[in-house]
């Protein structure tokens, strides 16, 4: 938001050339430059309506949604032992060691299998949430706060 700094905004040399500080501040509180700045900010915020009140929430929503999608997707990958690509396809690296972990063998042979039917709605929901987060990020970029002009 905007800040009114007296040292930069008022003529303060107190010589006979410019207005005195008392003249610049005015006789009434409504004449004060502080009040004028605050009224200007309030007027601009009222002009923006609901966008001003929800601006921080709308700006944070894409990040929160992306983090949620990544967390749930990672948990799903750990649970399934593979990376779901869509509702039907799950890809994994083949296990080439007795320890149960995939080892780099010089090439990647990707093994595909199907996602269990009870988890297919979760995968669809994750993709929908990822797209919603991307659309929200674009829309939130269009919301601008008060820039002081």
């Amino acid at each position: 938001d905007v800040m009114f700094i007296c040292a930069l905004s008022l003529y303060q040399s107190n010589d006979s050339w410019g207005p005195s500080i008392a003249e610049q501040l005015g006789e009434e509180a409504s004449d004060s430059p502080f009040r004028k700045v605050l009224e200007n900010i309030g007027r601009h915020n009222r002009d923006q309506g609901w966008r001003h009140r929800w601006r921080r929430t709308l700006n944070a929503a894409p990040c929160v949604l992306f983090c949620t999608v990544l967390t749930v997707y990672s948990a799903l990958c750990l649970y399934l032992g593979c990376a779901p690509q869509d509702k039907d396809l799950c890809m994994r690296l083949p296990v080439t060691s007795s320890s149960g972990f995939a080892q780099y063998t010089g090439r990647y042979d990707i093994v595909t299998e199907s996602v269990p039917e009870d988890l297919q709605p979760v995968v669809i929901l994750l993709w929908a949430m990822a797209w919603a987060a991307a659309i929200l990020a674009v829309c939130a970029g269009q919301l601008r706060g008060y820039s002081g002009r």
Side-chain angles (χ1 to χ4, degrees), residues 62 66 132-142:
F66 272 129
I135 291 168
L136 272 174
V138 170
C139 292
Q142 301 299 320

Side-chain angles (χ1 to χ4, degrees), residues 19-123:
S20 68
I21 294 175
E23 290 172 340
Q24 294 176 71
L25 293 179
E27 297 290 325
E28 299 289 324
S30 60
D31 298 334
S32 167
F34 307 108
R35 174 84 180 236
K36 290 178 183 177
V37 167
L38 292 175
E39 285 175 352
N40 187 32
I41 292 171
R43 184 174 43 254
H44 180 77
N45 292 342
R46 280 190 302 277
D47 291 345
Q48 282 191 334
W50 66 270
R51 291 176 296 161
H52 174 71
R53 286 191 301 275
W54 292 97
R55 182 184 52 168
R56 287 190 177 124
T57 304
L58 289 173
N59 286 337
C63 183
V64 170
L65 204 51
F66 272 129
C67 290
T68 303
V69 167
L70 287 175
T71 302
V72 173
Y73 185 79
S74 298
L76 190 62
C77 288
L78 289 173
Y79 176 74
L80 293 174
C82 62
Q85 299 302 308
D86 60 21
K87 71 179 183 86
D88 295 327
L89 181 66
C90 195
M91 296 176 18
R92 82 169 71 227
L93 292 175
V95 176
T96 57
S97 72
S98 60
S99 66
F101 293 102
Q103 290 183 337
Y104 179 67
T105 59
R107 64 175 205 196
Y108 287 109
D109 294 325
I110 296 176
V111 178
T112 59
E113 55 190 58
S114 63
V115 176
E117 283 189 33
D118 57 335
L119 293 176
Q120 288 179 0
V122 174
V123 175

